[in-house]
Amino acid sequence: MRQMHLKPSFVEFIPDHLEDGVLYISERFRTCSHNCCCGCGEEVVLPLSPAEWQLSRDGDAVSIWPSVGNWDYACNSHYVIRGNQVRWAGAMTAHQIRRVKQRDEVALRSQVASTNAVRARNAAGTLKACSPAAASPPARATSIANAPKVSVWKRLLGWFGFSNA
């Protein structure tokens, strides 16, 4: 049966069997899971990260952004979860789905690279504090002034296929 409402359930571990109409949220493992809201029975897993899905809370109500697009399932369902309510979104063309998947892949790669860079800097700082190599001069940094300047709007338009705008 098609769901119009999801009840949030905060858990440490996602259960093996998911109940229809329940959005299981593991803050510890930064993930959410629920049965597809169209009623097809597929399990939907939403990793929570800046590059994937984000969870917001307002009292007992939760919202997930961006939309949930189940394009790898036969149902191809597409919806937004806002304030525990399921808001059904329109169908997308194969071209639109491909562009969204490409944008998501780029965003995830960027997030992973950024996280790895921070971890590497932190590890290097720890090593410098206890290593005689700390006396060597730091590697020369690339100036941001020489980096190509691309506006945020041009990037966004390019992600959505409007590269000539």
Side-chain angles (χ1 to χ4, degrees):
M1 173 176 15
R2 194 172 184 171
Q3 298 294 318
M4 300 303 289
H5 180 269
L6 290 175
K7 176 185 168 199
S9 176
F10 290 88
V11 296
E12 183 173 5
F13 302 102
I14 303 296
D16 292 332
H17 174 74
L18 305 182
E19 293 181 37
D20 288 339
V22 178
L23 176 65
Y24 297 93
I25 303 161
S26 172
E27 292 177 309
R28 176 180 178 193
F29 294 104
R30 294 184 287 196
T31 192
C32 297
S33 195
H34 65 283
N35 284 334
C36 182
C37 291
C38 79
C40 70
E42 293 284 354
E43 182 178 323
V44 178
V45 177
L46 306 173
L48 301 175
S49 81
E52 294 170 294
W53 284 272
Q54 296 175 21
L55 173 78
S56 61
R57 296 171 70 174
D58 184 12
D60 293 334
V62 298
S63 299
I64 300 281
W65 186 258
S67 63
V68 178
N70 294 322
W71 302 304
D72 292 330
Y73 300 148
C75 66
N76 280 322
S77 62
H78 184 208
Y79 48 89
V80 174
I81 302 167
R82 171 146 294 155
N84 297 348
Q85 301 298 312
V86 178
R87 297 184 181 179
W88 291 91
M92 295 177 73
T93 66
H95 176 73
Q96 289 171 318
I97 292 169
R98 201 169 35 256
R99 296 294 294 170
V100 168
K101 285 182 174 184
Q102 288 171 345
R103 182 201 64 213
D104 291 349
E105 185 179 325
V106 167
L108 185 57
R109 270 193 267 131
S110 176
Q111 176 65 35
V112 168
S114 175
T115 300
N116 288 342
V118 168
R119 287 180 179 162
R121 280 194 301 272
N122 290 343
T126 302
L127 291 175
K128 283 182 185 178
C130 62
S131 167
S136 64
R140 186 176 164 137
T142 305
S143 169
I144 195 162
N146 296 331
K149 292 179 177 33
V150 179
S151 77
V152 171
W153 286 112
K154 277 193 173 183
R155 283 187 195 150
L156 287 172
L157 291 172
W159 287 343
F160 289 100
F162 300 100
S163 57
N164 294 331

